[in-house]
Amino acid sequence: MPKVIDDEKIYDAVMQTIIERGYAGATTKLLADAANMSEVTLFRKFGSKSELVKRAIQALVERTDFKSATKYTGDIQADLMRVLQAYQGSVVMHEKFFASLFSEISRNPELVGSFSQPLALFRSIGELLTRYQKDGLLRKEHPSHAVASLLGPLIYTAMMRGPMPENAVPPIDLEEHISKYLEGRKIYK
C-alpha cells in the first residue's frame, strides 16, 4: 500500500528547503527528500516545482481565511485590524520563504504565476478600502496605493527583522499603525 503524506507536510518541507537553499537551489531531488517521498511521486502529484510552490502559497492563504478577514462590517478600525492580524499571522510569519522567492523572481519568471492567490488577497483588501472611500470615510486613492500604505510597514518590518540584529526593528503596534493610517487618509467633514 502506498504511503500517504499530508499535503501540508509537503508544503512545509518545500518552504523550509526554499528558505535554506533558495528557489533555484531547491532541486527536485532536495524537495522530494525534504517531503520524504520520491521525486517521481512528488512531481506526478504536482507536475513542476513552480506548481508545487504555487500550491504551497495557496495553502498558506487558505489557512488564514482572508475572505473573512476582508469582510466589510462598517467598523473601519475593526476591519483594518482583522486584515492586519490575518496578514501578519500568515504572510509575515513566513517572511523568509516569501523573501527568498521575491529575491529570485526576476531570474525565474515561472514564479510569477505562484503569486495569483496573494494578488487576489491584495485586490480584496483594495475592495474593502474602496468601499470605505465610497462611504466617505477615506480619501480617494488607487486601491493598490491604499493597500501598499496599509501593508507596507508590516512587509518592511518582516523583511528587515530577518537580517538585522535582534530588537533592531521592533514589531509594529497594529492599533497605532491603524490610527496613523486613518489619520493620513481621513476625510474631514
Side-chain angles (χ1 to χ4, degrees):
M1 180 172 198
K3 180 167 61 169
V4 177
I5 298 176
D6 179 23
D7 284 353
E8 295 296 323
K9 288 182 181 177
I10 295 170
Y11 300 146
D12 290 342
V14 166
M15 287 188 283
Q16 189 58 43
T17 303
I18 289 173
I19 289 167
E20 293 167 4
R21 302 287 185 128
Y23 180 78
T27 64
T28 57
K29 172 100 174 85
L30 284 172
L31 293 172
D33 288 347
N36 199 23
M37 57 195 319
S38 75
E39 260 183 288
V40 172
T41 303
L42 183 67
F43 289 94
R44 189 176 293 143
K45 181 173 176 111
F46 295 102
S48 68
K49 182 165 68 168
S50 63
E51 181 63 23
L52 180 54
V53 168
K54 180 179 182 177
R55 301 243 318 255
I57 292 171
Q58 286 174 337
L60 283 177
V61 172
E62 289 167 7
R63 277 187 226 163
T64 308
D65 188 21
F66 281 110
K67 186 173 183 174
S68 295
T70 58
K71 183 180 176 194
Y72 174 87
T73 67
D75 181 343
I76 191 168
Q77 287 187 309
D79 288 355
L80 294 181
M81 180 60 79
R82 213 175 37 260
V83 165
L84 292 180
Q85 287 173 333
Y87 188 80
Q88 192 172 46
S90 178
V91 178
V92 172
M93 191 169 78
H94 296 91
E95 77 246 16
K96 290 178 183 175
F97 172 64
F98 285 107
S100 179
L101 292 178
F102 283 129
S103 70
E104 295 188 57
I105 204 164
S106 64
R107 292 182 306 278
N108 299 282
E110 70 273 14
L111 282 173
V112 172
S114 299
F115 289 93
S116 59
Q117 200 83 359
L119 291 174
L121 163 66
F122 292 156
R123 278 192 298 279
S124 66
I125 295 170
E127 290 166 6
L128 175 67
L129 297 173
T130 299
R131 175 84 186 263
Y132 280 110
Q133 289 173 4
K134 288 178 182 172
D135 288 353
L137 296 174
L138 295 175
R139 67 175 163 82
K140 294 205 182 300
E141 66 181 317
H142 193 280
S144 295
H145 297 163
V147 171
S149 297
L150 181 64
L151 299 181
L154 274 74
I155 295 167
Y156 169 81
T157 301
M159 290 178 70
M160 293 306 293
R161 287 181 76 157
M164 300 300 280
E166 193 172 328
N167 298 324
V169 181
I172 289 183
D173 178 320
L174 296 182
E175 286 185 19
E176 182 181 347
H177 174 57
I178 291 169
S179 292
K180 289 180 179 179
Y181 178 84
L182 292 174
E183 188 178 303
R185 284 165 174 72
K186 214 185 314 187
I187 292 181
Y188 296 96
K189 295 180 181 188

